[in-house]
Amino acid sequence: MLAEFNLFGVLIAPIAIYALFAIPLTLMLRFIIWRVGAMSWFWHWPLFQIALYICVLCLMVVYV
């Protein structure tokens, strides 16, 4: 169950915490995709990066 986090008296929504933790995971996946050489598979690389971040964030919300 999602609940707010208390950070020194300030309640922070769980999506904000998940969004911060999704950034390093997305960067790691981008690095792996770059090393494999799969960047050329995607027509619009910046759009794919945003979609990858959203997918990682959604998976974190669902499974954590």
Side-chain angles (χ1 to χ4, degrees):
M1 181 153 121
L2 299 176
E4 291 86 13
F5 293 102
N6 188 356
L7 183 65
F8 303 112
V10 177
L11 295 177
I12 302 197
I15 191 74
I17 304 298
Y18 293 145
L20 289 177
F21 284 120
I23 292 172
L25 289 174
T26 304
L27 291 175
M28 185 175 58
L29 285 172
R30 281 180 48 202
F31 179 74
I32 291 169
I33 290 170
W34 176 72
R35 291 292 288 173
V36 171
M39 280 179 32
S40 62
W41 295 350
F42 304 106
W43 171 69
H44 200 281
W45 179 244
L47 184 61
F48 173 76
Q49 290 178 7
I50 293 170
L52 180 66
Y53 174 74
I54 297 298
C55 289
V56 169
L57 180 60
C58 289
L59 286 173
M60 285 186 66
V61 168
V62 169
Y63 289 115
V64 173

